[in-house]
Amino acid sequence: MLFSSIFTGWLLSASYAPIDRWYLAPIGISLWIWILHKGKRSVTNTFIIAFTFNAFLLHWSSTYVGNLPWLILCLGESLLFVPLAWAKRQRIVFFPAIFLLLEHIRSIFPFEGFAWGRLAFGQADAPYREVVAIGGVSLLTSVVTCIGIALFFLKRDFKICAIYGSVVVFLILSITALPSMQSIGNFRSLLVQGNVPQLGLDFNSRAKAVFDMHVKETLRAVEEKEDYNIIIWPENSVDVDPYSNKEIRNILTNLNEETGKAIIIGAVLSNNNKVQNASILWDQGGVTTYIKRHLTPFGEYIPLRSLARNFSPFVDDVQDFTPGNVDVLHKVDNAVLGPIICYELIDDSYIKRISRQANLLIVQTNNATFGSSAQSAQQLSISRIRAIENHRDLVSVSTTGISAVIDFQGNIVKSTISNQPDHLFADSKLYSGQTLANKLGNWTFLLTLTGLGILGFITRRMYI
């Protein structure tokens, strides 16, 4: 059973990049249910499956900080899977409901949660992915677990298999009933991936060099004489405060004048001993400034610092950032751009909130601290799911990772190669209106959980 548990955890991780085979997730769930159904060492086997899953999925987190923080992260996440062991034998039909509940808990706890490993985020190529526009990430995760439990019961109890299978088929057919949204206009942006001199945790020490590389790539793109509405730079492309640094401020303003376009930059602001991660629409100086609200624990601030420094020598190199407290959107011509700064991509509430106001989503991210790992590709899959969930075209621009243009169906229209300077001209459509998932907001989780609970009670009576 040890080998089966390890193999199951690996199968689940393989539904995400770099292997990226979506269909391995429902197969992995089916095997997990089979292992629990055996009823022996359920807690131990559940932990082994979860730890294996997290270890493979999150290995990128060890790129420069070493193995210990990665293992601690995997351990903490895996412990939050352990209550799944309760779903065994006669309670196995409650597996989807318990799984969803635990996934939701992990997305909000501890330290505002770590939702990176939600099953839905590995389903960007699944044929049923558009159910996320009906019931959000919670419903897409639940479709995966329902397929898994239907596979488990295929030979054991065809009636139960048929019930869960019918629910999945109904949801997939419901996709065709989704109301179409009309585009209210077109928008063209220039995405600039300037790269960094060298990958690693200390890229900030070469902040001026990173800035210069983005200026250089922007000027190279301008030479192509293309037309566009806005220039977009990634997170951390301006790691010297442009308001307090006269040289940086003048270069940006000159760039405005030379291109005739505004630039959305990713900047680090320092003011009154506060450090903030910002997205700024720069046009002869700041026009609108969004301060990142959902900060990355252990990346932009250190919880339990006195304890954490015992496990990593890099803890005291991190200065705690100050979060923003208000949503700000950038308005350019007929576009209302919703800024999403890196880690905020996994925050359901924030994404749905700004998608109601914005007609185009922009993700500004920095992947330099994760080298050539699968982190950037995994993040891109999350971006694709968010585009479908909210029926919005989305552009994602990175310092070093994969920059991409994504349409509202989650398709990658064009993309760059990691770790080299490049740029993209992104043709996007502007959409208004809301998907059902967006309208329901956080109710998607409660409604989906209730539905899975009802399914569990119905099928348990049959299974007993």
Side-chain angles (χ1 to χ4, degrees):
M1 198 59 72
L2 174 62
F3 174 78
S4 297
S5 297
I6 293 173
F7 180 64
T8 299
W10 176 84
L11 273 181
L12 287 170
S13 71
S15 65
Y16 303 77
I19 296 175
D20 208 15
R21 297 292 183 266
W22 63 268
Y23 49 82
L24 296 180
I27 294 173
I29 290 295
S30 183
L31 284 174
W32 196 335
I33 294 170
W34 174 76
I35 289 170
L36 289 177
H37 186 257
K38 290 290 184 179
K40 297 179 180 178
R41 303 177 64 193
S42 297
V43 171
T44 300
N45 289 327
T46 295
F47 177 78
I48 292 171
I49 294 169
F51 188 85
T52 305
F53 164 64
N54 283 294
F56 279 104
L57 176 69
L58 304 176
H59 189 259
W60 48 263
S61 64
S62 69
T63 303
Y64 293 111
V65 299
N67 290 332
L68 186 57
W70 160 58
L71 292 173
I72 292 173
L73 173 62
C74 294
L75 175 63
E77 284 292 296
S78 301
L79 288 173
L80 295 174
F81 279 85
V82 167
L84 267 171
W86 184 79
K88 59 182 181 180
R89 293 187 177 176
Q90 300 301 329
R91 294 187 293 268
I92 205 67
V93 291
F94 288 104
F95 182 95
I98 299 171
F99 191 97
L100 180 63
L101 176 61
L102 295 177
E103 186 175 271
H104 180 73
I105 290 171
R106 293 195 306 276
S107 70
I108 60 175
F109 172 85
F111 316 124
E112 295 187 89
F114 184 64
W116 197 272
R118 295 166 85 176
L119 278 186
F121 291 153
Q123 301 294 297
D125 289 312
Y128 47 76
R129 62 187 182 179
E130 290 184 59
V131 301
V132 75
I134 301 173
V137 174
S138 295
L139 186 62
L140 184 51
T141 283
S142 298
V143 167
V144 178
T145 55
C146 284
I147 294 173
I149 201 166
L151 290 174
F152 170 77
F153 280 111
L154 187 59
K155 290 188 176 180
R156 290 173 177 80
D157 192 318
F158 187 73
K159 289 183 179 179
I160 296 179
C161 172
I163 289 174
Y164 280 98
S166 297
V167 169
V168 172
V169 171
F170 171 76
L171 291 171
I172 293 174
L173 292 176
S174 298
I175 293 171
T176 61
L178 290 173
S180 60
M181 296 186 192
Q182 297 299 316
S183 167
I184 58 173
N186 299 315
F187 191 78
R188 199 167 205 233
S189 50
L190 167 58
L191 312 182
V192 178
Q193 178 179 301
N195 208 8
V196 298
Q198 183 178 342
L199 300 173
L201 295 176
D202 63 340
F203 77 94
N204 266 345
S205 65
R206 303 180 296 278
K208 179 60 166 56
V210 174
F211 171 77
D212 289 340
M213 292 178 77
H214 282 81
V215 172
K216 181 179 179 181
E217 186 61 28
T218 301
L219 293 174
R220 191 169 77 88
V222 169
E223 291 176 357
E224 298 180 23
K225 306 298 183 183
E226 296 273 356
D227 190 27
Y228 50 90
N229 301 87
I230 189 74
I231 301 168
I232 305 177
W233 285 7
E235 177 190 26
N236 298 133
S237 52
V238 188
D239 269 353
V240 180
D241 191 327
Y243 293 122
S244 60
N245 188 295
K246 184 177 179 180
E247 180 186 3
I248 297 296
R249 185 171 66 250
N250 288 341
I251 293 174
L252 284 170
T253 301
N254 290 338
L255 200 56
N256 285 151
E257 295 174 350
E258 186 170 346
T259 62
K261 305 295 180 183
I263 310 169
I264 296 177
I265 62 174
V268 173
L269 305 181
S270 301
N271 186 30
N272 296 325
N273 296 319
K274 292 195 302 185
V275 181
Q276 296 177 308
N277 193 347
S279 173
I280 304 173
L281 175 61
W282 189 277
D283 191 3
Q284 310 295 316
V287 177
T288 50
T289 300
Y290 167 65
I291 305 298
K292 185 178 182 181
R293 301 188 66 177
H294 193 155
L295 299 177
T296 311
F298 302 101
E300 291 172 308
Y301 74 99
I302 303 295
L304 309 175
R305 184 180 287 269
S306 60
L307 177 64
R309 65 166 53 98
N310 295 319
F311 300 97
S312 174
F314 301 106
V315 164
D316 290 325
D317 293 337
V318 177
Q319 181 178 0
D320 288 344
F321 278 58
T322 301
N325 54 20
V326 64
D327 298 338
V328 177
L329 294 97
H330 303 310
K331 296 181 180 180
V332 181
D333 298 331
N334 60 337
V336 181
L337 309 177
I340 302 165
I341 303 178
C342 196
Y343 191 72
E344 292 179 319
L345 198 57
I346 61 176
D347 185 333
D348 284 353
S349 296
Y350 176 70
I351 297 295
K352 290 176 181 177
R353 205 166 57 238
I354 65 161
S355 295
R356 293 179 188 131
Q357 307 170 65
N359 50 34
L360 178 65
L361 301 178
I362 61 169
V363 176
Q364 295 169 276
T365 186
N366 168 40
N367 308 111
T369 54
F370 303 112
S372 300
S373 70
Q375 188 269 348
S376 182
Q378 290 176 8
Q379 186 180 46
L380 195 62
S381 293
I382 301 174
S383 293
R384 295 173 63 192
I385 293 298
R386 293 307 193 185
I388 304 167
E389 180 183 28
N390 296 284
H391 197 103
R392 294 291 186 269
D393 281 7
L394 180 151
V395 295
S396 178
V397 57
S398 172
T399 48
T400 63
I402 306 168
S403 298
V405 182
I406 300 170
D407 68 17
F408 73 94
Q409 294 177 311
N411 300 312
I412 298 176
V413 179
K414 59 175 73 172
S415 61
T416 64
I417 298 173
S418 295
N419 304 326
Q420 67 180 39
D422 207 346
H423 62 269
L424 295 172
F425 290 98
D427 293 296
S428 305
K429 291 187 179 297
L430 307 176
Y431 291 97
S432 61
Q434 295 175 247
T435 61
L436 181 58
N438 194 281
K439 291 177 181 178
L440 290 172
N442 293 331
W443 284 99
T444 55
F445 162 69
L446 292 174
L447 291 172
T448 305
L449 183 64
T450 300
L452 292 178
I454 293 170
L455 273 177
F457 280 110
I458 292 172
T459 51
R460 188 185 185 191
R461 286 173 174 270
M462 299 170 61
Y463 194 44
I464 291 174

